[in-house]
Amino acid sequence: MSQNTPEYLQSELPAIELFQKLGYEYFDGSKEDPRSSINEVILEDRLRNSLTKINPWLKGNSLEKTIRRITNIQASTLMEANQALYELITKKDSITEKPTPDAHPEPVFIIDYDNLENNDFLVVNQMKYHGHGNNSIPDIVVYINGLPLAVIEAKSPKVPITDAINDLQYYQNNSPKLFNYNQICVGINKGKALYGTIGASFDHYSKFKADSTKEISALVDRVPTAQDILIYSLFQKSVLLDIVRNFTIFEVDQGRTIKKLPRYQQLRAVNKILDKLKNENQGGVVWHTTGSGKSISMVYLAIKLRREEAGFDNPTILVVTDRIDLDNQISSTFRRAGFPNTKQAASISHLKEELRDSYGKTLMTTIHKFQERAEERIDPKDIEVLSDKENIFVLVDEAHRTQGGMTAAYMRASLPHAKFIAFTGTPIDKESKSTLREFYGGDYIDKYTIKQSVEDGNTLAIRYQTGMPEYFIEKDLMNEVFKASFGHESEEKQAKLKSKAASLDTFLLARRRVEEISKNIITHYREKIYPNGFKAMLVCHNRAQAIAYQKAFLQLKEQGLNSFESKVIMSFNHKKDPQEYRDLATPEDKIKETIENFKLPFGNESDKSLGGKRQYDNTAILIVSDMLLTGYDAPIVQCMYIDKLLKEHNLLQAISRVNRTAPGKEYGLIVDYAGITEHLAEAIKIFSGDLEVNDVMTNIEQEKTILENRHAKMVAFFRSIKIDRMKDRDKYVDACVLYLEPEDLRDKFIDLVKFFNKSMDIVLPDPFAVAYEYDLKLFNDIKLEAVNTYTPDKLHITREESKKIQMIIDEHLRASGVEYLLDEAIDITDSKKFEEELAGKSGKTKELVIKNRIKKTIQANKKENPEFYEDIAKRLERLIKDREEERIDQAQLLLEFNKIMEDIRNAKEEWKRLGLRSPEQFPVYKSLEKVVADPKDFTIALFDKIGVYLTKEDWKEFDDIKKEIRKNIKSLLRSANIDKEQLKTLPITILDILENQ
């Protein structure tokens, strides 16, 4: 390649120079080549020298045998050869030789992972390799100990990055021998950089984002480009060897082997966990959004925990989930990734048996295994310790769902010295429940939000549309029928029946409402989702509503208005369920098969693969209530229709079913018929990562004292009853129920139980709370029995009365269609636009919407005008604090919010009032306002000085121009006699402002 092309000067050369700064040797392969033939891909002299340096005893025939073993890989496919070589360079006993004829075999190490400088790091450009067609000349090849472990293809900044990936794929087909040894493939074009593995399509190449670019900037002495960040982040010697040894897996999926490398958040999180375990001897919480690869992160973590140099003495690793299907799923992930000797615990006794010996194992279990102990009502002092070893590491999947209760407390008491590492996609962070508090407190070990995941292309944006059914109730007629049916009942009973008639259950099950929504769903699906080959899920309020929707869909099919197949997935209660549940829902023995087949595309269902597996499935809509809302990955699902009042983490988990990537799928879509807009606005705080730890964390020691006090009050409430509640439980319960006959005493006791329950919720799963488990169950049982005893039978609503009420509602609720409340579906990851759509709402929601809108405006514009938006941020935080401490009321808060928004709007015209020449000058003026005597004249003079550079349309693409701009700014600032520290930082700040405009 010519050395005067943009590709060489702006991409290839800077990459080579960075490698040299990282300590790599370099030579130009077009000018010198130590190989005897282009058929060779290994630099044999370097391999030989490295082997003898790492293994000084390796000589003569043993050395030559080792080299032949490395250079002659026997395999039928590239992936097979690559995996065989990977095992040679990473597994301790993959090659063994005898130092002397009489000695025991010793392992031969090809790479020294413990002593970096024992290895030979080399980067070569423009070296030619034999190809099936033309010869291959990749731009850069990275050699370690003579083996080509990475191939980098460089392109001009004006050429799409896809061209680099296409070339890498071509080289793999044309010169496969070169890629037998490959661990990383990289495409760069200065402004973009992606990395992947052999066999990966473009969609499976990843970006790499660094937490900080300070070190990179210092190394390259300029603003780092995307390719600088990737090369520095992946190819520092220690990082590269860490990735090769600990973060590379071969996963077998449906008979096909896929090689996987870590995404940047996985690499970052696993190493942070290891640091915390080593330095603080405790775990914590990893918040990685749903769909970002938490299961694979656990595999990477388990690999590193097992390493001898980690210092954990062959630990036991226990992976805990909350459902059998997830237990099977994560066990399968570990097995597919080749993780050795994993076992699923069948029971608590089986788990105890596996934990008994000191040999490290990897065990999979559900949290409910520990519930077997909890249900035995063991005295806290007698909880059996399953293992008191220090080196047990418990990896908890989706910890927000399981780790706040008594079962989790038993697990911790059973493993008193274990370290718990929680993985969650939707953490709970509120006073009564906090995933962080349940795992040592403090901050998250690592955080990767849905917004970051969408930006990286790992998951899709989710759009939201709300469709509210238009209906009215024939109130007078309905009241007449109600009176005729229930007029003979007491006023108290009639009030209860009316409350039932007005309940959410009754309203959501109204027949005409369900029918109108069903019509809307079928029309929407036919027009918006089906044409692109995608499927949908319908989330229902309860099982009865799921059946009602299936009946409505079948009715539309009979009328010729619905050509799509739908299936109900739900659990059964064989004692109570009516026959139509069994007639219309998927039978229990077919559920697993149905939900797996649903992931398949539309087509001829009779077609089978060569292995006899089903290829297609024509079910278009799965109807669910509670099942499949978490942990179900079906990329073919694009749309979720919701008629259930979901909130908080349950809402976030459910809607994340639609954000998985698939070819041709640009976004996931939520259509809301239940009115969850306000809940979604609240949940977006979790999505966006705006919550601060201090906003939600409570002092657990203080809460323990509150728990003790509330427990003491509850026990004292029955101090006149002289029966031992521990020894004679039944007599104690009977006496307490008699004592609670007066309604005022009963109400007071119910309040005591409520506050006691709340304290238990906060303190759990801390083993401290286990001591109160007996009384938790006892006093809640007393409350329930007392309420049932003293509620007159006539006030109980029978099943027949419930049916009659539903019939009255069905008859008199008239539905006329569905109205969409938003002009178009909006991206909920774009919280600013989402909040603008909600701005017309009032009350608490309006307060939240405006606050979040201001926050997002600050976030979006602070780089462009840092000084101004920093002041705005401070004002906002003061107002929020004043509101929380009730120094101002809501009206005053909204008034001040409006002033802030007015200031933001006015800022766009402020440059005119100040006498500046353009709006671009205003943020620079703000950065100089407190630094120079006359910021207006100084700003104008500065733009006069650098204006010649700014007129060039693509000046931001040229580092030499940016360097000149910075020098000119610095020169002008020096003449203003500003202090030395500001002279260092201000030119960089101003340049950042200019680049972000």
Side-chain angles (χ1 to χ4, degrees):
M1 174 192 283
S2 166
Q3 296 194 345
N4 292 316
T5 63
E7 178 180 310
Y8 178 77
L9 294 173
Q10 296 183 48
S11 183
E12 185 178 325
L13 179 60
I16 292 167
E17 290 172 343
L18 180 50
F19 271 105
Q20 289 177 291
K21 289 177 179 177
L22 290 172
Y24 287 68
E25 289 185 52
Y26 161 70
F27 70 75
D28 186 336
S30 66
K31 296 177 181 176
E32 58 176 291
D33 191 342
R35 301 170 300 166
S36 59
S37 163
I38 64 170
N39 288 313
E40 298 173 13
V41 299
I42 287 175
L43 303 180
E44 196 168 307
D45 287 345
R46 286 180 178 264
L47 174 61
R48 181 175 277 104
N49 292 338
S50 295
L51 286 171
T52 54
K53 185 177 181 181
I54 298 168
N55 312 277
W57 54 269
L58 189 65
K59 298 171 185 175
N61 189 48
S62 294
L63 175 59
E64 297 310 314
K65 275 172 63 182
T66 299
I67 291 173
R68 283 196 299 273
R69 179 86 181 273
I70 296 168
T71 54
N72 295 302
I73 303 292
Q74 301 300 311
S76 57
T77 66
L78 171 57
M79 187 63 74
E80 188 181 325
N82 190 276
Q83 187 169 3
L85 187 280
Y86 178 77
E87 291 184 3
L88 290 184
I89 65 174
T90 57
K91 293 196 174 174
K92 185 176 180 180
D93 297 319
S94 56
I95 300 179
T96 58
E97 291 291 340
K98 292 182 178 182
T100 64
D102 300 326
H104 290 292
E106 293 281 343
V108 176
F109 296 101
I110 301 171
I111 295 174
D112 191 337
Y113 293 98
D114 298 323
N115 303 294
L116 284 180
E117 299 313 315
N118 256 0
N119 301 294
D120 175 43
F121 292 87
L122 171 72
V123 63
V124 180
N125 69 323
Q126 301 303 318
M127 185 173 272
K128 188 181 292 184
Y129 302 90
H130 173 72
H132 295 319
N134 296 324
N135 295 323
S136 298
I137 309 176
D139 290 318
I140 297 171
V141 178
V142 178
Y143 279 90
I144 297 181
N145 299 342
L147 304 180
L149 296 195
V151 175
I152 301 174
E153 188 64 12
K155 295 295 175 187
S156 159
K158 297 178 182 177
V159 175
I161 194 70
T162 49
D163 284 17
I165 308 305
N166 289 339
D167 284 356
L168 289 166
Q169 292 166 343
Y170 167 75
Y171 296 147
Q172 290 171 48
N173 293 321
N174 190 51
S175 304
K177 191 176 175 184
L178 172 64
F179 290 86
N180 284 351
Y181 304 87
N182 182 271
Q183 303 307 313
I184 305 179
C185 296
V186 175
I188 56 175
N189 71 352
K190 181 185 175 183
K192 289 184 179 176
L194 300 172
Y195 68 102
T197 64
I198 62 164
S201 63
F202 176 77
D203 290 342
H204 290 100
Y205 274 73
S206 301
K207 304 172 185 175
F208 201 102
K209 291 185 178 177
D211 293 339
S212 167
T213 58
K214 189 181 288 186
E215 291 181 7
I216 312 172
S217 301
L219 193 64
V220 297
D221 196 26
R222 55 180 160 76
V223 177
T225 62
Q227 75 172 44
D228 291 331
I229 291 169
L230 185 141
I231 290 170
Y232 179 84
S233 300
L234 291 184
F235 289 96
Q236 292 174 74
K237 293 177 181 179
S238 60
V239 176
L240 177 58
L241 295 192
D242 189 26
I243 290 171
V244 169
R245 191 185 190 199
N246 300 312
F247 290 92
T248 304
I249 59 175
F250 293 82
E251 188 172 6
V252 180
D253 187 14
Q254 296 184 344
R256 177 170 168 255
T257 300
I258 302 166
K259 189 174 184 181
K260 291 187 175 181
L261 288 174
R263 296 171 182 163
Y264 70 89
Q265 78 274 7
Q266 293 173 317
L267 183 68
R268 181 183 67 201
V270 169
N271 285 327
K272 281 185 179 179
I273 294 168
L274 265 290
D275 287 343
K276 189 168 186 187
L277 288 169
K278 288 178 182 178
N279 299 326
E280 300 177 33
N281 197 32
Q282 64 175 214
V285 181
V286 174
W287 170 13
H288 281 190
T289 192
T290 308
S292 60
K294 292 188 293 296
S295 296
I296 295 295
S297 296
M298 289 187 184
V299 175
Y300 292 140
L301 176 58
I303 289 170
K304 292 207 76 168
L305 288 169
R306 282 259 177 272
R307 292 290 178 208
E308 191 176 323
E309 62 271 19
F312 297 120
D313 191 24
N314 197 18
T316 295
I317 297 167
L318 181 62
V319 181
V320 179
T321 60
D322 68 338
R323 294 208 315 263
I324 292 171
D325 59 334
L326 292 182
D327 186 37
N328 292 335
Q329 182 181 310
I330 205 160
S331 298
S332 175
T333 301
F334 270 71
R335 282 194 295 272
R336 290 199 313 269
F339 201 86
N341 304 320
T342 59
K343 289 187 178 181
Q344 283 179 273
S347 64
I348 196 73
S349 56
H350 180 210
L351 183 60
K352 178 187 174 185
E353 184 183 323
E354 292 293 340
L355 289 169
R356 185 177 294 143
D357 61 51
S358 58
Y359 177 74
K361 296 177 179 177
T362 302
L363 305 171
M364 312 285 170
T365 188
T366 60
I367 184 73
H368 310 297
K369 299 289 187 299
F370 293 92
Q371 193 171 349
E372 295 168 23
R373 281 288 185 264
E375 287 172 353
E376 292 170 13
R377 298 194 176 193
I378 299 169
D379 188 284
K381 299 188 293 296
D382 299 327
I383 292 176
E384 182 179 13
V385 173
L386 298 180
S387 176
D388 61 359
K389 288 192 294 184
E390 294 274 351
N391 63 340
I392 293 180
F393 298 95
V394 183
L395 315 187
V396 184
D397 185 38
E398 294 302 352
H400 63 277
R401 294 201 298 257
T402 62
Q403 293 301 303
M406 192 60 69
T407 305
Y410 269 85
M411 178 173 71
R412 291 171 189 234
S414 301
L415 302 168
H417 302 303
K419 313 301 181 297
F420 290 81
I421 301 104
F423 291 82
T424 180
T426 49
I428 301 174
D429 280 317
K430 53 185 182 178
E431 182 187 2
S432 61
K433 279 276 171 246
S434 170
T435 311
L436 278 172
R437 185 177 61 236
E438 287 152 9
F439 291 88
Y440 308 101
D443 207 343
Y444 296 102
I445 295 177
D446 195 66
K447 188 161 70 170
Y448 185 68
T449 65
I450 190 168
K451 188 175 180 183
Q452 292 169 308
S453 182
V454 169
E455 287 172 354
D456 292 342
N458 294 327
T459 53
L460 297 173
I462 300 174
R463 294 184 185 175
Y464 171 79
Q465 177 61 278
T466 177
M468 295 309 291
E470 295 178 320
Y471 64 90
F472 65 94
I473 294 173
E474 298 169 333
K475 195 170 181 182
D476 292 339
L477 263 176
M478 190 176 76
N479 285 341
E480 285 180 26
V481 175
F482 185 89
K483 192 171 182 180
S485 301
F486 302 114
H488 61 283
E489 300 285 359
S490 68
E491 286 186 13
E492 196 175 357
K493 177 69 176 277
Q494 285 191 50
K496 199 161 188 183
L497 288 163
K498 284 182 179 178
S499 177
K500 171 70 176 173
S503 72
L504 187 66
D505 281 16
T506 309
F507 166 73
L508 292 179
L509 275 168
R511 187 183 72 249
R512 287 188 176 88
R513 178 184 179 278
V514 168
E515 288 171 353
E516 287 300 326
I517 294 174
S518 297
K519 289 179 193 173
N520 185 265
I521 288 173
I522 295 302
T523 302
H524 181 276
Y525 179 78
R526 182 174 57 245
E527 294 175 357
K528 305 287 187 183
I529 309 302
Y530 179 70
N532 295 315
F534 294 112
K535 300 187 178 185
M537 293 174 70
L538 167 58
V539 182
C540 300
H541 175 64
N542 54 23
R543 295 182 310 137
Q545 195 196 48
I547 294 297
Y549 270 111
Q550 179 70 334
K551 286 167 70 175
F553 286 150
L554 293 174
Q555 187 179 339
L556 290 171
K557 185 170 279 194
E558 289 173 7
Q559 296 167 1
L561 301 174
N562 172 21
S563 58
F564 303 110
E565 290 296 321
S566 56
K567 290 179 181 173
V568 178
I569 301 294
M570 68 184 207
S571 57
F572 292 90
N573 184 329
H574 294 289
K575 290 182 179 179
K576 296 182 180 179
D577 288 344
Q579 182 61 41
E580 70 172 0
Y581 281 25
R582 287 184 283 278
D583 294 340
L584 293 172
T586 303
E588 282 179 298
D589 60 345
K590 297 288 185 184
I591 286 177
K592 186 175 181 181
E593 178 187 356
T594 300
I595 62 179
E596 283 305 308
N597 288 342
F598 184 66
K599 299 176 182 180
L600 299 171
F602 294 109
N604 187 340
E605 292 185 349
S606 61
D607 286 356
K608 298 288 189 289
S609 68
L610 292 175
K613 289 188 175 181
R614 186 169 178 166
Q615 298 277 76
Y616 302 102
D617 179 81
N618 292 326
T619 306
I621 301 172
L622 272 193
I623 306 171
V624 301
S625 173
D626 295 308
M627 295 180 71
L628 306 185
L629 299 186
T630 60
Y632 180 56
D633 287 346
I636 200 166
V637 175
Q638 183 180 27
C639 184
M640 178 175 280
Y641 301 103
I642 297 180
D643 199 14
K644 182 184 181 83
L645 279 178
L646 295 164
K647 57 177 73 173
E648 295 175 350
H649 65 283
N650 293 321
L651 173 57
L652 300 187
Q653 282 280 343
I655 66 177
S656 294
R657 298 312 102 211
V658 301
N659 74 350
R660 302 304 194 269
T661 58
K665 184 175 168 185
E666 296 179 2
Y667 57 86
L669 178 64
I670 301 300
V671 181
D672 165 28
Y673 299 105
I676 58 171
T677 309
E678 291 186 25
H679 297 314
L680 191 55
E682 291 282 347
I684 281 176
K685 290 193 292 184
I686 300 175
F687 257 132
S688 62
D690 282 346
L691 285 174
E692 295 295 330
V693 175
N694 292 334
D695 294 339
V696 295
M697 289 290 286
T698 54
N699 184 320
I700 194 68
E701 295 306 318
Q702 185 178 327
E703 291 297 334
K704 287 177 183 178
T705 303
I706 294 171
L707 173 60
E708 286 177 319
N709 292 338
R710 286 176 173 173
H711 174 260
K713 283 183 183 178
M714 199 167 55
V715 172
F717 187 80
F718 295 114
R719 58 179 168 267
S720 61
I721 296 171
K722 307 302 181 185
I723 301 170
D724 191 320
R725 69 183 190 280
M726 299 290 185
K727 294 178 180 176
D728 207 341
R729 187 183 194 275
D730 291 344
K731 283 187 178 180
Y732 183 79
V733 170
D734 290 343
C736 290
V737 170
L738 282 172
Y739 181 75
L740 290 172
E741 183 178 4
E743 190 173 354
D744 60 330
L745 283 178
R746 204 159 60 245
D747 290 343
K748 189 174 180 183
F749 174 67
I750 288 170
D751 279 344
L752 288 174
V753 173
K754 181 177 78 175
F755 287 120
F756 175 64
N757 290 346
K758 183 180 178 182
S759 284
M760 285 291 283
D761 277 345
I762 292 172
V763 174
L764 282 168
D766 192 296
F768 178 86
V770 174
Y772 299 98
E773 184 198 10
Y774 181 87
D775 281 346
L776 177 72
K777 292 174 179 175
L778 171 69
F779 289 112
N780 276 281
D781 284 352
I782 292 169
K783 183 189 81 170
L784 185 62
E785 192 168 326
V787 169
N788 286 334
T789 299
Y790 298 113
T791 301
D793 290 339
K794 287 187 176 182
L795 290 183
H796 286 294
I797 298 176
T798 66
R799 184 178 295 182
E800 288 71 27
E801 287 170 334
S802 292
K803 282 184 179 178
K804 191 177 285 187
I805 288 169
Q806 188 67 60
M807 287 172 63
I808 293 170
I809 293 291
D810 286 349
E811 189 61 32
H812 296 91
L813 183 143
R814 302 281 184 241
S816 56
V818 173
E819 177 190 6
Y820 288 113
L821 302 186
L822 301 174
D823 295 332
E824 59 180 13
I826 54 175
D827 185 350
I828 65 170
T829 54
D830 180 356
S831 54
K832 182 180 176 184
K833 186 173 181 182
F834 183 70
E835 288 156 2
E836 284 172 358
E837 294 284 351
L838 303 179
K841 293 194 175 288
S842 60
K844 187 179 178 183
T845 304
K846 187 168 185 179
E847 181 179 325
L848 170 72
V849 165
I850 298 174
K851 179 180 75 176
N852 282 348
R853 183 191 303 167
I854 296 170
K855 278 190 172 184
K856 295 304 174 189
T857 304
I858 293 168
Q859 194 68 27
N861 295 285
K862 66 181 181 183
K863 284 187 176 179
E864 185 182 324
N865 195 346
E867 290 291 326
F868 175 75
Y869 283 99
E870 188 175 331
D871 289 340
I872 292 290
K874 288 176 182 174
R875 281 172 63 187
L876 179 65
E877 291 308 312
R878 279 198 302 271
L879 284 173
I880 293 169
K881 190 174 181 183
D882 286 348
R883 175 71 177 130
E884 287 171 349
E885 295 174 359
E886 298 184 352
R887 286 199 287 268
I888 58 174
D889 60 21
Q890 188 181 72
Q892 290 171 300
L893 179 71
L894 293 175
L895 187 65
E896 290 301 320
F897 277 176
N898 283 333
K899 288 179 182 177
I900 288 179
M901 290 190 293
E902 185 67 26
D903 288 348
I904 291 172
R905 285 192 290 271
N906 290 339
K908 294 178 180 177
E909 301 295 320
E910 184 71 357
W911 64 276
K912 292 179 182 176
R913 189 186 66 77
L914 292 168
L916 299 171
R917 294 175 181 169
S918 70
E920 289 77 18
Q921 292 185 357
F922 177 62
V924 175
Y925 167 90
K926 291 296 291 182
S927 70
L928 295 165
E929 194 174 27
K930 298 170 186 174
V931 178
V932 297
D934 189 347
K936 186 194 89 169
D937 289 344
F938 195 95
T939 301
I940 292 170
L942 188 149
F943 273 81
D944 287 343
K945 193 173 181 72
I946 64 173
V948 65
Y949 302 109
L950 301 182
T951 55
K952 187 173 173 58
E953 192 173 318
D954 56 350
W955 69 266
K956 297 174 186 178
E957 300 295 321
F958 295 90
D959 292 331
D960 54 342
I961 293 179
K962 288 190 277 190
K963 190 174 182 180
E964 286 301 312
I965 291 173
R966 201 163 57 244
K967 278 171 59 180
N968 278 275
I969 295 170
K970 194 169 187 177
S971 170
L972 200 61
L973 286 168
R974 192 179 284 114
S975 68
N977 295 320
I978 69 168
D979 69 63
K980 287 183 180 179
E981 192 58 36
Q982 287 179 320
L983 195 60
K984 283 182 186 176
T985 59
L986 204 48
I988 297 169
T989 301
I990 293 173
L991 183 60
D992 282 346
I993 291 170
L994 296 171
E995 282 194 272
N996 280 291
Q997 289 182 341

